[in-house]
Structures are given as C-alpha cells and as structure tokens.
Amino acid sequence: MKDSLRNIGAVVRRETIGFFASPVAYVFIIIFLLLAGFFTFMVSGFFQRGQANLEPFFVWQPWLYLFLVPAVAMRMWSEERRLGTLELLFTMPITPWQAIVGKFLAAWLVVAVALALTFPLVITVNYLGNPDNGVILAGYAGSLLLAGAYLAIGAMMSALTRNQVVSFILAVVVCLFLVLAGWPPVTDLLGRYAAPWLVDAVASFSVMTHFQSILKGVLDSRDLLFFASVIVFSLFTTSVILRTYRAG
Amino acid sequence: MVEVKDLRKEFGPKVAVDGISFSVAKGEVLGFLGPNGAGKSTTMRMITGFIPPSDGRVTVGGFDMAEQPVDAKRLIGYLPENAPAYTDMTVHGFLTFAAELRGLSGDAKRKAVDRVVEMCFLEAVLHQSVETLSKGYRHRTCFAQSILHDPPVLILDEPTDGLDPNQKHEVRTLIRRMGESKAIIFSTHILEEVEAVCSRAIVIDRGRIVANGTPAELKRRSPRAGVVIVRFAAPTDAAAKLRTISGVESVDPLDGEPAFAVRGRNGDLGTAIYDLAVSERWKIADLHAQEGRLDDVFRSITQPDTKEVTAR
C-alpha cells in the first residue's frame, strides 16, 4: 500500500512536471479562464441577470471542457507510445494501475488548478449578493467530476493510438456523445419518436443529466456514482488497451 | 539469475520467437547476436516483462515474471532499444524520476543519481532538457537510468548503438567491469564487441538459437579457423610437397604471391610446414595459423542456404 502510493506519487510528480515544462498546462489554464470569462460575462450576462449565483458560469462547463479537456488528455499515453518510454515505464517495478492512476491524477490536478483560479467569481457574487455557497461548492464538485470523466475518456482514447490528433478527435467525439445524449434539444427530438422510458434511459448515460442535477446543489449518490463509474470504467479500459498493445 | 525456458512469441501468424531457452548466471556477460528481425529485441522485452510471452516462462532471481512481475522487475536494469527518455524533462529530473520508481528516496536517491551521472559523464548536460541532447548523451542518459539502483541483472538492447568510438569503448569497459558482479545480457550487431566483452554468446536467427558458446568456441566453427598461411621469399613449386604432409586436406595457392593456404586436420600443421621448408631449403617470409572470424561464423549460421554448418 505504501509502495503503491509512493509509485503513484512519483508518476504524478513526473506528469505534473511534464505539463508545466511544456506549454500545455499554461495554455489550458489561460484559455480556460478566458473562455469561461467570456461565456459567463458576455454570453450569459452575469451582471445583467441580477442573481447571486454561479449558474451562468457552470452551465457552459460541459461545452467548454468538451474541447479543452481532451487536449490535456491526448498526450497521456500516445506520447509514451510515440517516444517508446512506455517500455521504460512498464519495465519499472510498478504495476500498470499505478501508472494509469498517477497519470490520470496529474491531469486532473491541472484541471483543478484552472478551476480553482476562477475563485474571483466566488468572491464577486459574495460581494454583490448573498449566494447559496453550498450550491456553489456543489457546482465546483460537479465541474471537477465532469472534467474527471472527460479526462478518463481522453486517457482511454490516447492509449489507443500513438497519434495525438487522432486521440484528441476520438475523445471529443465520445465526450460529445455523452453530452448530447442528455442535451434537451436532442432528448426533445428523441421524445417525438421513442418511448419516454427509452429517452430517459439514453439520457441517464449523459454527463449533462447528472451534471445539471448536481448544479441544483444536491450531491445525489446516483450522480456521484455515475461519474465515478465513467472514470473507473474508462481507466479500466485503458489498462486493457495497454495490455493488448503490449501483447502485440 | 535469469532463467528463460521455451520462450515463444507470436504476432498474429508471424512467429517472432520460437522456443528459446537459456540461463545467465551472476558474473556472466551474455552477448545476444542475430540479424535484424531475428527476435533479439522481442526476447529482451519478454525477459524484462514489457511483452507477455505467448508461451514459456522467464524467471529472474527466482521470481516468475508472469506471477511476480514487480519483484522480478526490481532486480532488472533495462536499456531498451533506441534509448527512450522523457523529452520534456531535464536529465536530472529524468534520473530522479527513475530513482523514485526504483524505490529510492532522500539521501539514497541523491547519491544514486550522483553516482550514475559521474559514471556516464553526464555532468555537462545535467540540467539540460532531454529533447536538446545529442544522440550519444541521450543514450547515456537512458543507460544511466538502467544502472541507478545497481541491479543484479542488466539487460541492454544495443548499448553502443549510435555512440562514437570513444564512447563505445567506455561503455564496453563499463559492461565488462560490471559483468564481474552482475548477470548481463546485451544485444549487438558489432562482432568485435562480443569478443571484447562477452563471456558467452548466443546467436539467434528467425526466433531460434542457432549457436551458444564462448566467443572462442564460436570462432572455431569458422571455415577459416586453423588454416595455415605460408608465404615464401621466392616462388617455389611447393604445393605438391606440402600436400604430402600427413593430415593435409588441401593446399591452395594464393593469387599473385608465392604463398599457400594449407588446410588440414593436423593440429601441428605450422611446425610440419616449417620442418619441411627447412629440409627443402625454402625461405619462409611468413607463416601463421589463421584465427576463425566471428563474422564468418555469423554469416554461415544465419543464412538459410548454408544450414549444414549449424549441425554440430
């Protein structure tokens, strides 16, 4: 147990160094903050609404992450395959799981840093009004879980190929599917042709459905379980893909 | 230390490694020879646990690679082919990361990194990014990573590839020195390297072992081995007389010279020729027995049309 934490820690440190040594982390954080600001203030009209909550900030997250998070995840394994360092990593005395979890956590950390840097928004709403900070906290937790789910999917896709562009596009497509399955315009359209239970079943696979329910301020165990299972399933699939790749 | 038994690897319909068995003990340096695509790298990848074998087993220091991979991998230092390294790290950062994965921390980690930096002459590039390194430096960085934890088993896939002659010499010296206390397997294309470094060599061709012995034993299998070259100071018609020496099988004149290549089973061919020359009053300019050459052996046993040489 102590060994495995130490190994995961070493991988997290290496990956974080990698993120901040290359421009990936900085570009991600800056673009994320700029776009989040643009949508929150210009498109949603944060000030004009006259409501003390962060909804105009959070509603854009599934779309914003759709393009930014796969960009963070795309190099995770494809770069290892391209450089041949996968061979180095997997002949070290660590288990594949430790490497997979370590890499995932490091990428998650980068997203968490970006998300944490939106704290001026929290200060602003608290200065201007009396928001329900519990709801805001739930929003941040939901946002982090959402990013984690996208990252895990991105990790899975990047294990599939040595080409980062391919891994990026595949991850965007899978994430887009998970968004659209619960996006009201799509569910409305489906509702015209399919039985309501079917529409609900499809929508329950969507990150949108679960993310929006968290945004209401309720951390329902079903929503948490959903995000946790997407993450675990994707990382498990990553390990299967990597094992298959090594077996040739 | 390393025990390889009936190792086999198939990639789809292609058999890359076809039933290889051997073992390497402590204090042995095993050279791995073979043409490109013979299965050298695949075998090494299976020994180090990167690729799972289709069949057969690998044991390192008593640990089965399939059942206790982490324990087995702890004992191995590995330099993969092409010496991969994380290009976004500095040399120091990379070695520190490798040391951490090897379970070193604090003072032990610092000391281990300092030791290999000195051994592999990396001081000059210590804080340079791996991406900007020349091939020689990158290679040595990856090599340094493999000996960080002073492993009892060292597996090196073409450790001198891409190095200049001085660096090659350094690496060979290092391998030979470390070979006294470790079990080392290394692959190479360079045959002098085998003679200079190995205590034993294995030649593999198309996934099978075709020769296994000390470099001297292998050289003796060369068709050239034991042939005596005699060169006279003046042209003679010695051929007929040379043939009369007992045990001589053939005497071939060498082009344009008063010289002959004498081949025979007589172990003391040189002395017999000398005695004959003295009694016939021929003046000898040069008389020597040829050594077998590894590249002859290598060519003859790894080519499909000269298969009979492999029968032994």
Side-chain angles (χ1 to χ4, degrees):
Chain A
M1 191 61 196
K2 197 165 146 264
D3 279 2
S4 81
L5 284 183
R6 194 197 58 213
N7 291 338
I8 291 174
V11 175
V12 170
R13 262 196 304 285
R14 194 225 85 70
E15 286 296 299
T16 318
I17 291 171
F19 274 123
F20 285 97
S22 68
V24 177
Y26 301 107
V27 169
F28 171 77
I29 291 172
I30 290 167
I31 299 292
F32 172 76
L33 292 176
L34 284 177
L35 286 180
F38 173 77
F39 283 112
T40 310
F41 293 107
M42 311 301 279
V43 182
S44 286
F46 179 71
F47 289 119
Q48 289 85 335
R49 295 166 80 244
Q51 293 174 24
N53 61 38
L54 285 186
E55 209 202 312
F57 167 61
F58 287 123
V59 285
W60 294 104
Q61 306 288 61
W63 302 100
L64 208 50
Y65 284 155
L66 185 57
F67 292 98
L68 290 179
V69 169
V72 172
M74 68 181 187
R75 61 198 280 286
M76 203 182 284
W77 293 104
S78 45
E79 183 79 348
E80 296 266 350
R81 285 177 61 159
R82 195 178 62 81
L83 290 176
T85 44
L86 192 67
E87 192 169 349
L88 217 50
L89 192 60
F90 280 178
T91 50
M92 287 285 179
I94 64 172
T95 65
W97 261 109
Q98 290 161 2
I100 289 169
V101 170
K103 276 173 163 283
F104 170 74
L105 288 180
W108 215 5
L109 192 69
V110 172
V111 181
V113 168
L115 200 57
L117 287 176
T118 62
F119 70 91
L121 276 176
V122 184
I123 295 174
T124 309
V125 281
N126 274 290
Y127 179 73
L128 293 176
N130 282 312
D132 184 341
N133 279 318
V135 174
I136 290 178
L137 201 63
Y140 272 104
S143 185
L144 205 55
L145 286 172
L146 179 69
Y150 282 11
L151 270 179
I153 290 166
M156 175 169 75
M157 291 306 154
S158 100
L160 271 179
T161 166
R162 57 177 13 210
N163 186 320
Q164 297 191 9
V165 176
V166 173
S167 116
F168 174 77
I169 293 173
L170 288 176
V172 170
V173 168
V174 175
C175 292
L176 181 65
F177 176 79
L178 286 186
V179 170
L180 290 183
W183 192 44
V186 173
T187 47
D188 292 350
L189 190 71
L190 270 179
R192 266 188 257 163
Y193 306 102
W197 64 266
L198 189 63
V199 179
D200 282 349
V202 172
S204 69
F205 281 103
S206 170
V207 291
M208 215 60 165
T209 318
H210 297 278
F211 181 59
Q212 266 159 0
S213 112
I214 291 178
L215 283 193
K216 294 194 187 98
V218 196
L219 282 175
D220 191 317
S221 59
R222 272 173 306 179
D223 299 325
L224 297 181
L225 193 68
F226 170 77
F227 284 112
S229 50
V230 170
I231 291 171
V232 171
F233 171 80
S234 301
L235 293 185
F236 175 74
T237 312
T238 306
S239 78
V240 173
I241 293 169
L242 290 174
R243 194 162 55 214
T244 315
Y245 168 69
R246 284 161 64 199
Chain B
M1 277 314 287
V2 181
E3 199 86 45
V4 173
K5 203 153 189 301
D6 300 325
L7 211 55
R8 203 179 147 79
K9 183 70 198 176
E10 292 148 24
F11 294 114
K14 189 176 166 281
V15 180
V17 174
D18 191 4
I20 282 186
S21 304
F22 63 87
S23 64
V24 190
K26 190 179 155 187
E28 242 187 326
V29 180
L30 177 73
F32 231 51
L33 293 167
N36 284 325
K40 299 191 296 283
S41 288
T42 307
T43 306
M44 293 184 134
R45 284 176 171 163
M46 287 193 279
I47 297 172
T48 54
F50 180 60
I51 297 183
S54 308
D55 205 0
R57 53 190 283 160
V58 174
T59 336
V60 179
F63 296 111
D64 189 302
M65 186 52 87
E67 278 152 27
Q68 293 157 286
V70 173
D71 290 314
K73 284 171 184 176
R74 239 189 277 281
L75 304 175
I76 301 179
Y78 179 37
L79 171 67
E81 200 181 6
N82 301 326
Y86 290 100
T87 51
D88 52 11
M89 301 182 101
T90 63
V91 171
H92 186 264
F94 175 66
L95 293 176
T96 306
F97 170 59
E100 282 169 7
L101 289 187
R102 291 297 182 183
L104 298 167
S105 62
D107 222 26
K109 178 170 79 179
R110 248 191 324 277
K111 273 191 189 138
V113 171
D114 288 349
R115 186 178 61 89
V116 295
V117 163
E118 195 186 326
M119 265 172 113
C120 300
F121 308 99
L122 291 169
E123 289 95 343
V125 295
L126 198 51
H127 297 289
Q128 210 169 309
S129 148
V130 171
E131 194 157 29
T132 62
L133 295 183
S134 68
K135 194 171 180 196
Y137 270 121
R138 184 184 296 207
H139 211 95
R140 275 187 277 166
T141 303
C142 197
F143 182 65
Q145 161 279 130
S146 70
I147 55 175
L148 255 176
H149 52 305
D150 198 16
V153 176
L154 203 51
I155 294 173
L156 310 166
D157 202 347
E158 297 188 11
T160 57
D161 179 47
L163 300 183
D164 70 33
N166 289 332
Q167 295 165 341
K168 275 186 184 154
H169 179 75
E170 275 158 23
V171 168
R172 281 177 206 163
T173 315
L174 205 57
I175 293 176
R176 202 168 32 214
R177 210 175 64 214
M178 289 189 301
E180 290 161 14
S181 56
K182 299 180 194 305
I184 300 184
I185 303 176
F186 81 97
S187 74
T188 182
H189 291 298
I190 307 165
L191 295 157
E192 311 93 80
E193 208 150 76
V194 176
E195 297 193 65
V197 179
C198 295
S199 56
R200 193 152 58 89
I202 281 181
V203 185
I204 59 177
D205 186 29
R206 279 163 301 167
R208 289 168 182 278
I209 294 183
V210 289
N212 181 355
T214 64
E217 277 168 9
L218 288 183
K219 277 198 294 193
R220 243 173 271 141
R221 294 168 64 171
S222 161
R224 220 187 276 256
V227 172
V228 175
I229 301 289
V230 55
R231 181 177 290 110
F232 299 111
T236 57
D237 49 352
K241 292 233 169 86
L242 285 172
R243 276 197 193 92
T244 62
I245 297 174
S246 76
V248 167
E249 284 164 349
S250 71
V251 175
D252 301 306
L254 299 185
D255 285 345
E257 289 182 280
F260 302 90
V262 185
R263 192 185 308 264
R265 272 182 317 230
N266 187 336
D268 231 1
L269 216 50
T271 324
I273 292 170
Y274 177 77
D275 289 344
L276 180 69
V278 169
S279 67
E280 296 286 335
R281 301 186 151 273
W282 296 329
K283 276 192 178 153
I284 292 177
D286 179 26
L287 175 67
H288 70 269
Q290 275 190 324
E291 274 211 45
R293 282 177 38 185
L294 272 183
D295 56 345
D296 287 341
V297 184
F298 182 80
R299 264 205 308 276
S300 61
I301 61 184
T302 57
Q303 268 172 20
D305 50 343
T306 49
K307 256 299 189 238
E308 69 276 2
V309 188
T310 66
R312 184 182 155 166

